[in-house]
């Protein structure tokens, strides 16, 4: 069940800088050999998987997902969420703590880990809360959370507004060698905004969400990371200024990092005005990677409402540049499922968030690899070795002896995403009907095709 021979694929491992056509031997859930000797070392009756014309990479890692358990199983469960992750090529995910109740104590961590071991089809790691109840008022027991097995702390979905409290959180986190991931949002500036503050918010009559609301917290995190020496990871960057701030800080050696989500480097705020306006605004650039068959959607479509919001074409371009030059080291989905009825309301009242597992890799290939902004090796590093390094995970490599978590995909295969066919329990994706380029062929966890 967990021994395979992957034959004839282009094997790319950014962790070891291996990039060549080769066979990969998996024995008892571990990588046993790569290259010419893989076939000779394989048992005679081993199952073979033909990977000719496909890419074989370390299993992809998504360090920012919402599996909604405990308390929100109507939206997603560990079983359905990990099934969607496997469909998208992800062998490892890190679930966020903004559940009901929040993951702010060792018992909650144990619950998730036990349920994931029983029902999940991919590896599930847990991020614990920075503050009790994710209320931003009192620190959670960070040491106990670490002992229970969390790999990072974050109040994702919320942002600690008290700067002194955040400083103390960073100091405690450093004692336990835990990175701090932060949802960057200044509530006093953002207030009740529902979309990016700019031309389209004015035209559509929707309350604006200034980019400065993100940028001020990014700046604060840079200052505190420099002060404490703690690793701080800024989640779902959406603003050009945020990228600039992180770029300058990293040049000074500040332990700060950032991630980008495919929706922020594929779409812009013009999408909320409807497909006709969106393609008029950005059609020339997007059409080059999207192809001639463009989907249609109405104005005020709540599937385009997310946190942080879709921003301007200039911001989108800055995110792409930040990924290309290494300022943003990691790509994550911020997979945020919601029930249909929750999204079927006026734009103002709909919850923020979209699903993302099954479109994450193809959108990244389309916007970064097929447009020649990044090589396949550099793109895959953002899904493998970079998140593994940030969170100290024993994943993200095909080195001999490593866990046999492998993703096999065809970077050139074209297909159309249909949200009804998703493995996720929720269908709130804005990419319904999009022609994708790049398709997962097999997701292997511990040597077993899942």
């Amino acid at each position: 069940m967990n021994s395979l021979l992957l034959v004839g694929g282009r094997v790319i491992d950014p962790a070891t800088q291996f990039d060549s056509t080769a066979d990969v031997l998996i024995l008892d859930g571990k990588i046993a050999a790569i290259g010419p000797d893989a076939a000779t070392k394989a048992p005679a009756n081993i199952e073979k998987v033909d990977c000719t014309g496909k890419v074989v990479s370390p299993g992809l890692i998504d360090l920012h997902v919402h599996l909604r358990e405990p308390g929100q199983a109507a939206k997603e469960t560990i079983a359905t969420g990990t099934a969607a992750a496997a469909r998208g090529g992800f062998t490892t995910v890190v679930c966020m703590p903004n559940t009901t109740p929040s993951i702010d104590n060792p018992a909650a961590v144990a619950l998730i880990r036990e349920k994931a071991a029983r029902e999940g089809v991919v590896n599930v790691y847990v991020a614990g809360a920075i503050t009790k109840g994710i209320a931003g008022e009192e620190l959670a027991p960070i040491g106990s959370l670490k002992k229970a097995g969390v790999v990072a702390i974050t109040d994702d979905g919320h942002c600690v507004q008290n700067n002194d409290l955040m400083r103390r959180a960073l100091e405690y986190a450093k004692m336990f060698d835990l990175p701090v991931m932060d949802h960057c949002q200044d509530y006093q500036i953002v207030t009740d905004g529902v979309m990016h503050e700019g031309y389209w918010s004015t035209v559509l009559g929707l309350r604006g969400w200034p980019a400065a609301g993100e940028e001020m917290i990014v700046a604060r995190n840079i200052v505190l990371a420099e002060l404490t020496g703690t690793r701080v990871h800024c989640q779902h960057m959406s603003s050009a200024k945020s990228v600039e701030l992180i770029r300058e800080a990293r040049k000074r050696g500040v332990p700060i990092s950032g991630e980008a989500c495919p929706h922020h480097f594929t779409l812009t705020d013009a999408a909320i005005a409807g497909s006709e306006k969106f393609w008029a605004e950005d059609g020339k650039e997007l059409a080059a990677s999207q192809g001639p068959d463009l989907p249609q959607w109405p104005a005020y479509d709540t599937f385009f409402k997310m946190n942080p919001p879709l921003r301007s074409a200039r911001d989108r371009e800055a995110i792409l540049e930040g990924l290309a030059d290494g300022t943003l080291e990691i790509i994550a989905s911020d997979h945020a499922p919601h029930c249909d009825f929750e999204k079927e309301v006026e734009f103002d009242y709909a919850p923020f968030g979209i699903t993302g597992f099954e479109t994450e890799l193809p959108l990244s290939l389309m916007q970064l690899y097929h447009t020649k902004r990044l090589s396949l090796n550099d793109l895959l590093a953002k899904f493998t070795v970079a998140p593994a390094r940030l969170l100290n995970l024993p994943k993200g490599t095909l080195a001999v002896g490593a866990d046999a978590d492998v993703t096999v995909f065809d970077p050139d295969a074209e297909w159309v995403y249909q949200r009804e066919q998703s493995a996720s329990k929720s269908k709130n994706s804005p990419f319904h009907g999009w022609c994708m380029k790049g398709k997962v062929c097999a997701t292997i966890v511990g040597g077993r095709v899942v």
Side-chain angles (χ1 to χ4, degrees), residues 114-385:
E114 289 170 9
K115 198 170 180 66
R118 189 171 62 249
E119 301 176 9
V121 296
V122 304
N123 306 299
V124 177
Y125 290 90
V126 184
I130 296 174
T131 64
K132 291 182 179 180
I134 312 188
E137 296 175 356
E138 182 181 357
L139 288 181
I142 295 172
S144 297
L145 289 171
K146 166 73 173 184
K147 189 174 182 180
V150 304
V151 296
I153 56 172
T154 176
D155 272 4
D156 184 53
H158 298 77
C159 177
V160 176
Q161 302 295 290
N162 184 315
N163 295 333
D164 182 60
L165 186 67
M166 190 64 171
R167 174 190 176 178
R168 304 306 171 196
L170 265 59
E171 290 172 341
Y172 274 103
K174 186 178 182 183
M175 291 167 59
F176 300 103
D177 194 27
L178 279 174
V180 178
M181 305 197 295
D182 194 27
H183 172 119
C184 302
Q185 179 181 343
D186 188 309
Y187 297 162
Q188 290 184 315
I189 291 181
V190 170
T191 62
D192 56 357
V194 296
M195 72 168 290
H196 174 63
E197 182 182 274
Y199 172 80
W200 284 113
S201 64
T202 304
V203 169
L204 297 171
L206 294 172
R207 293 188 297 275
W209 178 312
E214 172 180 295
E215 296 154 4
M216 291 191 70
I217 299 298
V218 171
R220 175 203 66 179
N221 289 344
I222 290 169
V223 170
L224 292 180
E226 196 164 22
L227 174 67
T228 63
T230 305
R231 291 171 294 158
V232 179
H233 179 69
C234 297
Q235 298 172 297
H236 42 46
M237 293 291 89
S238 66
S239 156
K241 183 65 175 179
S242 296
V243 177
E244 181 185 336
L245 287 166
I246 293 172
R247 181 181 290 116
E248 293 174 353
R250 287 171 64 83
K251 287 178 181 177
R252 302 199 310 271
V254 179
I256 192 88
S257 61
E259 77 189 32
C261 301
H263 45 273
H264 286 128
F265 59 75
T266 301
L267 300 167
T268 72
D269 58 342
I272 300 169
S275 54
E276 292 182 7
K277 295 290 186 183
F278 181 62
W279 302 124
E281 284 286 301
D282 302 292
K284 184 179 293 186
E285 182 178 358
L286 287 177
S289 57
Q290 175 62 17
D293 299 322
L294 303 178
Q296 301 292 307
W297 64 84
Y300 301 99
D301 188 333
T302 58
F303 285 177
F304 292 87
K305 183 179 181 181
M306 53 208 67
N307 179 350
L310 299 174
R311 299 208 184 273
S312 69
R314 173 179 169 272
D315 291 306
R316 172 181 172 269
E317 180 63 27
I319 298 296
L320 289 166
E321 290 176 1
L323 288 164
D325 69 16
T327 298
L328 302 178
E329 293 183 295
I330 293 167
I331 296 175
S333 67
D334 192 11
H335 175 79
H338 292 291
C339 298
D340 287 347
F341 71 86
E342 293 178 295
K343 284 286 192 177
E344 292 172 354
V345 295
E346 294 91 335
F347 198 90
D348 279 344
Y349 303 120
F352 296 98
I354 65 170
T355 58
F357 279 136
E358 293 163 79
T359 55
E360 186 173 356
L361 178 60
L363 288 172
S364 299
L365 287 166
M366 289 160 63
Q367 299 299 328
L368 293 161
Y369 169 64
H370 290 301
T371 57
K372 296 182 170 41
R373 290 178 183 269
L374 282 175
S375 67
L376 263 181
N377 183 84
D378 290 338
L379 175 61
L380 288 172
K382 298 182 186 297
F383 285 112
T384 57
V385 63

Side-chain angles (χ1 to χ4, degrees), residues 384-400:
T384 57
V385 63
R389 183 171 54 230
L390 175 71
L391 300 181
N392 297 316
L393 302 181
K395 302 291 182 181
T397 181
L398 294 177
V400 172

